[in-house]
Amino acid sequence: MSAPTLAIVVVAAGSGTRLGHAEPKAFVPLAGRNLLEHALERIFTLAEPAHVVVVVPRSHRDEADRIARRVAGHASEHVTIVVGGATRQESVAAGVAAVPDGVDVVLIHDAARALTPTDVFERVVDRVRADGVGVIPALPVIDTIARTTPDGRVRDQVDRSELATIQTPQGFPLEAYRAAAAVASPGHTDDASVFAAAGHPVVTVAGDDAAFKVTTPWDLRRAELLLARARPAIRTGIGIDVHAYDDAQPLWLGGLYWPDEAGLAGHSDGDAIAHAVCDALLSAAGLGDIGSRFGVDDPRFADARGEVFLTATLDLVRDAGFDIVNVAVQVIAARPRFAARRHEVEALLSRLLGAPVSVAATTSDGLGFTGRREGLTAVATALLHS
């Protein structure tokens, strides 16, 4: 496969001060994911492959790398993470410098415009390639615009037919943009102005209302509601967990302690029911899996009970805008004998999740590792609604 000829620089180095967050804006949560993750998900749905350069603060470089590679999946080789500068212009320069050889078109995009549809990216790329110019997505100004005096008096109204609201991504022929940036004076807050200052033409294509910049708490809530409206009303997920028996460990299963039974080997308490339920919930919400959300290297979850994972998962699911309709679990094991405590397990899990949980158990008639009494399998399904 040939190397991409398109690069997208995602600027994610800005502060979250106006959002009321101490963390950088791109890392502020939005419906269970942060703004950067939403922005990257839309980029990776493009039909044309692109090399994606993410520009972040030094303090969040490792986190950005994990996020970008999780979103990119099998296309992780198309991702580069770089540290930004003190100004947006310096951050963009760092991102453009990291664009690999062979690229002819570069797009520069704000991670804060996290819901920008992919067709906006496509329109920008097509126009850059067709005409060799700088291209910016724009929306017509629909409100009346007035000039005012410093004390607030209206002087006159401006002809809005000549005005437009500018968005990102902004696209350019790569080498022409690099040359323009090399001679640009400091203080540019817009990429197109850097390009235009060097004498290059800049044109517009149609933007999109969804490409608004998340800057204030109102913007963040607007984005949450737009995502909820676009999301299917019902979501399903499945989770499977398998653990070997370990005679040296106590048995925790379904959130309960089972005395006089062999335990289950695992990083935490080995509670296969709880772990399968977590995976089913995360799957239904589109939030990955228990391994990516609560890694074995995270000290908070070393030797943690299943209840800890369930509670943390429930928070993620609710933050993503979902409620649990119900959960069903099937346990496949020769031991322990489950029937006597089934209702107890169901009651505990239902209380923890705030939704009905049903649990059933069966054996494998002596077949496989469960039949040989080597371990236990739990399979869970979850139904969510937004």
Side-chain angles (χ1 to χ4, degrees):
M1 180 177 176
S2 58
T5 58
L6 169 66
I8 302 174
V9 175
V10 181
V11 184
S15 73
T17 304
R18 282 186 284 178
L19 273 178
H21 287 258
E23 58 198 329
K25 184 192 298 185
F27 298 88
V28 171
L30 168 61
R33 301 175 178 86
N34 56 38
L35 290 170
L36 175 59
E37 194 163 353
H38 283 287
L40 291 175
E41 284 176 350
R42 283 149 181 78
I43 289 170
F44 277 94
T45 62
L46 286 167
E48 179 179 352
H51 192 90
V52 180
V53 180
V54 185
V55 188
V56 297
R58 187 175 303 278
S59 59
H60 285 66
R61 190 190 187 288
D62 291 344
E63 183 179 355
D65 187 71
R66 288 192 296 270
I67 291 168
R69 296 191 185 282
R70 181 169 68 240
V71 175
H74 298 300
S76 291
E77 72 276 8
H78 293 281
V79 173
T80 300
I81 310 295
V82 299
V83 174
T87 66
R88 188 183 190 283
Q89 190 171 347
E90 291 175 2
S91 293
V92 170
V96 172
V99 171
D101 294 338
V103 168
D104 57 11
V105 172
V106 62
L107 269 57
I108 302 168
H109 183 52
D110 292 334
R113 298 184 186 274
L115 305 188
T116 302
T118 55
D119 57 1
V120 176
F121 288 83
E122 291 165 349
R123 285 196 289 272
V124 172
V125 172
D126 290 345
R127 188 66 186 274
V128 174
R129 288 220 168 101
D131 298 331
V133 294
V135 179
I136 51 179
L139 292 176
V141 173
I142 59 175
D143 295 320
T144 299
I145 304 297
R147 290 189 183 91
T148 61
T149 63
D151 61 357
R153 287 181 298 149
V154 174
R155 290 172 49 195
D156 56 23
Q157 293 184 352
V158 179
D159 181 3
R160 64 189 179 196
S161 66
E162 298 180 354
L163 302 178
T165 301
I166 303 306
Q167 301 177 324
T168 70
Q170 300 185 2
F172 312 94
L174 175 61
E175 293 310 318
Y177 184 83
R178 279 178 166 163
V183 298
S185 60
H188 288 275
T189 58
D190 177 76
D191 311 304
S193 67
V194 170
F195 197 66
H200 299 294
V202 177
V203 302
T204 65
V205 294
D208 195 285
D209 288 334
F212 65 93
K213 190 173 185 178
V214 176
T215 303
T216 67
W218 183 277
D219 298 329
L220 191 62
R221 182 56 179 156
R222 178 188 175 195
E224 289 173 343
L225 293 174
L226 287 172
L227 286 171
R229 186 183 302 167
R231 186 184 296 126
I234 298 294
R235 301 279 289 268
T236 62
I238 187 168
I240 300 174
D241 198 40
V242 178
H243 284 281
Y245 291 118
D246 184 346
D247 292 333
Q249 299 296 326
L251 178 61
W252 286 86
L253 189 63
L256 298 180
Y257 172 60
W258 298 67
D260 304 319
E261 292 282 354
L264 296 168
H267 167 64
S268 57
D269 63 354
D271 189 337
I273 291 178
H275 300 169
V277 170
C278 289
D279 267 339
L281 292 170
L282 293 169
S283 169
L287 297 176
D289 55 47
I290 194 170
S292 63
R293 291 290 173 174
F294 316 116
V296 296
D297 295 328
D298 192 330
R300 294 176 300 163
F301 300 104
D303 301 320
R305 297 279 175 259
E307 181 174 341
V308 174
F309 291 97
L310 289 166
T311 302
T313 298
L314 179 60
D315 288 341
L316 289 172
V317 168
R318 286 179 171 169
D319 286 345
F322 293 101
D323 289 316
I324 301 173
V325 178
N326 77 294
V327 175
V329 184
Q330 178 74 60
V331 180
I332 306 168
R335 55 192 172 108
R337 294 181 64 84
F338 205 83
R341 304 193 73 184
R342 179 171 68 87
H343 295 299
E344 190 179 357
V345 170
E346 289 176 339
L348 173 61
L349 296 179
S350 297
R351 177 179 59 80
L352 288 173
L353 297 178
V357 178
S358 60
V359 183
T362 188
T363 68
S364 56
D365 289 333
L367 300 176
F369 73 92
T370 56
R372 295 190 297 270
R373 296 174 171 261
E374 295 173 356
L376 177 149
T377 296
V379 180
T381 58
L383 186 67
L384 307 180
H385 73 82
S386 58

PDB file of all heavy atoms in Angstrom, residues 265-286:
ATOM      1  N   ALA A 265      -8.141 -17.406  39.227  1.00  0.00           N
ATOM      2  CA  ALA A 265      -6.905 -16.658  39.003  1.00  0.00           C
ATOM      3  C   ALA A 265      -7.202 -15.405  38.195  1.00  0.00           C
ATOM      4  O   ALA A 265      -8.033 -15.410  37.294  1.00  0.00           O
ATOM      5  CB  ALA A 265      -5.897 -17.533  38.266  1.00  0.00           C
ATOM      6  N   GLY A 266      -6.502 -14.308  38.532  1.00  0.00           N
ATOM      7  CA  GLY A 266      -6.711 -13.082  37.775  1.00  0.00           C
ATOM      8  C   GLY A 266      -5.976 -11.917  38.397  1.00  0.00           C
ATOM      9  O   GLY A 266      -5.515 -11.989  39.534  1.00  0.00           O
ATOM     10  N   HIS A 267      -5.889 -10.799  37.625  1.00  0.00           N
ATOM     11  CA  HIS A 267      -5.204  -9.595  38.107  1.00  0.00           C
ATOM     12  C   HIS A 267      -5.918  -9.027  39.318  1.00  0.00           C
ATOM     13  O   HIS A 267      -5.291  -8.612  40.283  1.00  0.00           O
ATOM     14  CB  HIS A 267      -5.144  -8.551  36.991  1.00  0.00           C
ATOM     15  CG  HIS A 267      -4.744  -7.180  37.450  1.00  0.00           C
ATOM     16  ND1 HIS A 267      -3.503  -6.910  37.983  1.00  0.00           N
ATOM     17  CD2 HIS A 267      -5.427  -6.007  37.480  1.00  0.00           C
ATOM     18  CE1 HIS A 267      -3.440  -5.635  38.305  1.00  0.00           C
ATOM     19  NE2 HIS A 267      -4.592  -5.057  38.012  1.00  0.00           N
ATOM     20  N   SER A 268      -7.241  -9.017  39.292  1.00  0.00           N
ATOM     21  CA  SER A 268      -8.009  -8.510  40.422  1.00  0.00           C
ATOM     22  C   SER A 268      -8.520  -9.706  41.217  1.00  0.00           C
ATOM     23  O   SER A 268      -7.751 -10.593  41.565  1.00  0.00           O
ATOM     24  CB  SER A 268      -9.150  -7.617  39.932  1.00  0.00           C
ATOM     25  OG  SER A 268      -9.978  -8.327  39.028  1.00  0.00           O
ATOM     26  N   ASP A 269      -9.822  -9.747  41.483  1.00  0.00           N
ATOM     27  CA  ASP A 269     -10.349 -10.883  42.253  1.00  0.00           C
ATOM     28  C   ASP A 269     -10.823 -12.011  41.354  1.00  0.00           C
ATOM     29  O   ASP A 269     -11.362 -13.014  41.847  1.00  0.00           O
ATOM     30  CB  ASP A 269     -11.485 -10.420  43.178  1.00  0.00           C
ATOM     31  CG  ASP A 269     -12.674  -9.876  42.404  1.00  0.00           C
ATOM     32  OD1 ASP A 269     -12.602  -9.742  41.157  1.00  0.00           O
ATOM     33  OD2 ASP A 269     -13.682  -9.557  43.053  1.00  0.00           O
ATOM     34  N   GLY A 270     -10.680 -11.871  40.036  1.00  0.00           N
ATOM     35  CA  GLY A 270     -11.061 -12.933  39.114  1.00  0.00           C
ATOM     36  C   GLY A 270     -12.554 -13.122  38.968  1.00  0.00           C
ATOM     37  O   GLY A 270     -12.992 -14.185  38.505  1.00  0.00           O
ATOM     38  N   ASP A 271     -13.366 -12.136  39.347  1.00  0.00           N
ATOM     39  CA  ASP A 271     -14.818 -12.260  39.292  1.00  0.00           C
ATOM     40  C   ASP A 271     -15.277 -12.232  37.837  1.00  0.00           C
ATOM     41  O   ASP A 271     -15.533 -11.178  37.258  1.00  0.00           O
ATOM     42  CB  ASP A 271     -15.473 -11.137  40.088  1.00  0.00           C
ATOM     43  CG  ASP A 271     -16.964 -11.326  40.258  1.00  0.00           C
ATOM     44  OD1 ASP A 271     -17.594 -12.032  39.448  1.00  0.00           O
ATOM     45  OD2 ASP A 271     -17.511 -10.755  41.220  1.00  0.00           O
ATOM     46  N   ALA A 272     -15.420 -13.424  37.251  1.00  0.00           N
ATOM     47  CA  ALA A 272     -15.724 -13.523  35.823  1.00  0.00           C
ATOM     48  C   ALA A 272     -17.090 -12.944  35.491  1.00  0.00           C
ATOM     49  O   ALA A 272     -17.281 -12.371  34.406  1.00  0.00           O
ATOM     50  CB  ALA A 272     -15.648 -14.978  35.373  1.00  0.00           C
ATOM     51  N   ILE A 273     -18.049 -13.078  36.389  1.00  0.00           N
ATOM     52  CA  ILE A 273     -19.377 -12.516  36.128  1.00  0.00           C
ATOM     53  C   ILE A 273     -19.297 -10.996  36.046  1.00  0.00           C
ATOM     54  O   ILE A 273     -19.781 -10.379  35.093  1.00  0.00           O
ATOM     55  CB  ILE A 273     -20.382 -12.949  37.215  1.00  0.00           C
ATOM     56  CG1 ILE A 273     -20.673 -14.443  37.097  1.00  0.00           C
ATOM     57  CG2 ILE A 273     -21.680 -12.147  37.099  1.00  0.00           C
ATOM     58  CD1 ILE A 273     -21.625 -14.960  38.164  1.00  0.00           C
ATOM     59  N   ALA A 274     -18.690 -10.372  37.047  1.00  0.00           N
ATOM     60  CA  ALA A 274     -18.580  -8.914  37.052  1.00  0.00           C
ATOM     61  C   ALA A 274     -17.827  -8.413  35.832  1.00  0.00           C
ATOM     62  O   ALA A 274     -18.214  -7.421  35.194  1.00  0.00           O
ATOM     63  CB  ALA A 274     -17.900  -8.443  38.331  1.00  0.00           C
ATOM     64  N   HIS A 275     -16.737  -9.096  35.475  1.00  0.00           N
ATOM     65  CA  HIS A 275     -15.929  -8.647  34.347  1.00  0.00           C
ATOM     66  C   HIS A 275     -16.677  -8.795  33.025  1.00  0.00           C
ATOM     67  O   HIS A 275     -16.588  -7.932  32.150  1.00  0.00           O
ATOM     68  CB  HIS A 275     -14.618  -9.423  34.300  1.00  0.00           C
ATOM     69  CG  HIS A 275     -13.782  -9.245  35.532  1.00  0.00           C
ATOM     70  ND1 HIS A 275     -12.668 -10.017  35.797  1.00  0.00           N
ATOM     71  CD2 HIS A 275     -13.902  -8.397  36.585  1.00  0.00           C
ATOM     72  CE1 HIS A 275     -12.142  -9.644  36.954  1.00  0.00           C
ATOM     73  NE2 HIS A 275     -12.885  -8.656  37.444  1.00  0.00           N
ATOM     74  N   ALA A 276     -17.416  -9.887  32.863  1.00  0.00           N
ATOM     75  CA  ALA A 276     -18.205 -10.077  31.641  1.00  0.00           C
ATOM     76  C   ALA A 276     -19.293  -9.022  31.530  1.00  0.00           C
ATOM     77  O   ALA A 276     -19.563  -8.501  30.440  1.00  0.00           O
ATOM     78  CB  ALA A 276     -18.818 -11.478  31.619  1.00  0.00           C
ATOM     79  N   VAL A 277     -19.925  -8.680  32.638  1.00  0.00           N
ATOM     80  CA  VAL A 277     -20.947  -7.634  32.631  1.00  0.00           C
ATOM     81  C   VAL A 277     -20.334  -6.299  32.230  1.00  0.00           C
ATOM     82  O   VAL A 277     -20.907  -5.550  31.428  1.00  0.00           O
ATOM     83  CB  VAL A 277     -21.642  -7.535  34.002  1.00  0.00           C
ATOM     84  CG1 VAL A 277     -22.526  -6.286  34.064  1.00  0.00           C
ATOM     85  CG2 VAL A 277     -22.464  -8.784  34.277  1.00  0.00           C
ATOM     86  N   CYS A 278     -19.164  -5.977  32.770  1.00  0.00           N
ATOM     87  CA  CYS A 278     -18.488  -4.726  32.389  1.00  0.00           C
ATOM     88  C   CYS A 278     -18.228  -4.676  30.895  1.00  0.00           C
ATOM     89  O   CYS A 278     -18.487  -3.656  30.233  1.00  0.00           O
ATOM     90  CB  CYS A 278     -17.172  -4.583  33.150  1.00  0.00           C
ATOM     91  SG  CYS A 278     -17.347  -4.233  34.909  1.00  0.00           S
ATOM     92  N   ASP A 279     -17.714  -5.772  30.336  1.00  0.00           N
ATOM     93  CA  ASP A 279     -17.433  -5.797  28.904  1.00  0.00           C
ATOM     94  C   ASP A 279     -18.706  -5.647  28.080  1.00  0.00           C
ATOM     95  O   ASP A 279     -18.714  -4.987  27.032  1.00  0.00           O
ATOM     96  CB  ASP A 279     -16.716  -7.092  28.526  1.00  0.00           C
ATOM     97  CG  ASP A 279     -15.206  -6.950  28.554  1.00  0.00           C
ATOM     98  OD1 ASP A 279     -14.711  -5.818  28.478  1.00  0.00           O
ATOM     99  OD2 ASP A 279     -14.513  -7.978  28.668  1.00  0.00           O
ATOM    100  N   ALA A 280     -19.805  -6.263  28.525  1.00  0.00           N
ATOM    101  CA  ALA A 280     -21.068  -6.140  27.791  1.00  0.00           C
ATOM    102  C   ALA A 280     -21.570  -4.699  27.802  1.00  0.00           C
ATOM    103  O   ALA A 280     -22.029  -4.173  26.781  1.00  0.00           O
ATOM    104  CB  ALA A 280     -22.118  -7.069  28.404  1.00  0.00           C
ATOM    105  N   LEU A 281     -21.476  -4.032  28.946  1.00  0.00           N
ATOM    106  CA  LEU A 281     -21.925  -2.645  29.046  1.00  0.00           C
ATOM    107  C   LEU A 281     -21.057  -1.717  28.203  1.00  0.00           C
ATOM    108  O   LEU A 281     -21.563  -0.845  27.483  1.00  0.00           O
ATOM    109  CB  LEU A 281     -21.911  -2.197  30.506  1.00  0.00           C
ATOM    110  CG  LEU A 281     -22.930  -2.867  31.428  1.00  0.00           C
ATOM    111  CD1 LEU A 281     -22.645  -2.524  32.882  1.00  0.00           C
ATOM    112  CD2 LEU A 281     -24.351  -2.457  31.053  1.00  0.00           C
ATOM    113  N   LEU A 282     -19.737  -1.895  28.288  1.00  0.00           N
ATOM    114  CA  LEU A 282     -18.828  -1.060  27.499  1.00  0.00           C
ATOM    115  C   LEU A 282     -19.027  -1.291  26.003  1.00  0.00           C
ATOM    116  O   LEU A 282     -18.993  -0.358  25.209  1.00  0.00           O
ATOM    117  CB  LEU A 282     -17.385  -1.341  27.904  1.00  0.00           C
ATOM    118  CG  LEU A 282     -16.990  -0.921  29.326  1.00  0.00           C
ATOM    119  CD1 LEU A 282     -15.626  -1.494  29.687  1.00  0.00           C
ATOM    120  CD2 LEU A 282     -16.976   0.601  29.455  1.00  0.00           C
ATOM    121  N   SER A 283     -19.249  -2.553  25.638  1.00  0.00           N
ATOM    122  CA  SER A 283     -19.499  -2.882  24.239  1.00  0.00           C
ATOM    123  C   SER A 283     -20.752  -2.197  23.734  1.00  0.00           C
ATOM    124  O   SER A 283     -20.760  -1.588  22.653  1.00  0.00           O
ATOM    125  CB  SER A 283     -19.637  -4.401  24.087  1.00  0.00           C
ATOM    126  OG  SER A 283     -20.117  -4.757  22.804  1.00  0.00           O
ATOM    127  N   ALA A 284     -21.823  -2.251  24.508  1.00  0.00           N
ATOM    128  CA  ALA A 284     -23.083  -1.641  24.080  1.00  0.00           C
ATOM    129  C   ALA A 284     -22.959  -0.126  23.934  1.00  0.00           C
ATOM    130  O   ALA A 284     -23.564   0.477  23.045  1.00  0.00           O
ATOM    131  CB  ALA A 284     -24.191  -1.984  25.074  1.00  0.00           C
ATOM    132  N   ALA A 285     -22.173   0.491  24.800  1.00  0.00           N
ATOM    133  CA  ALA A 285     -22.008   1.948  24.764  1.00  0.00           C
ATOM    134  C   ALA A 285     -20.946   2.392  23.771  1.00  0.00           C
ATOM    135  O   ALA A 285     -20.739   3.599  23.580  1.00  0.00           O
ATOM    136  CB  ALA A 285     -21.659   2.464  26.161  1.00  0.00           C
ATOM    137  N   GLY A 286     -20.238   1.452  23.144  1.00  0.00           N
ATOM    138  CA  GLY A 286     -19.172   1.811  22.215  1.00  0.00           C
ATOM    139  C   GLY A 286     -17.964   2.398  22.898  1.00  0.00           C
ATOM    140  O   GLY A 286     -17.266   3.246  22.337  1.00  0.00           O
TER     141      GLY A 286
END
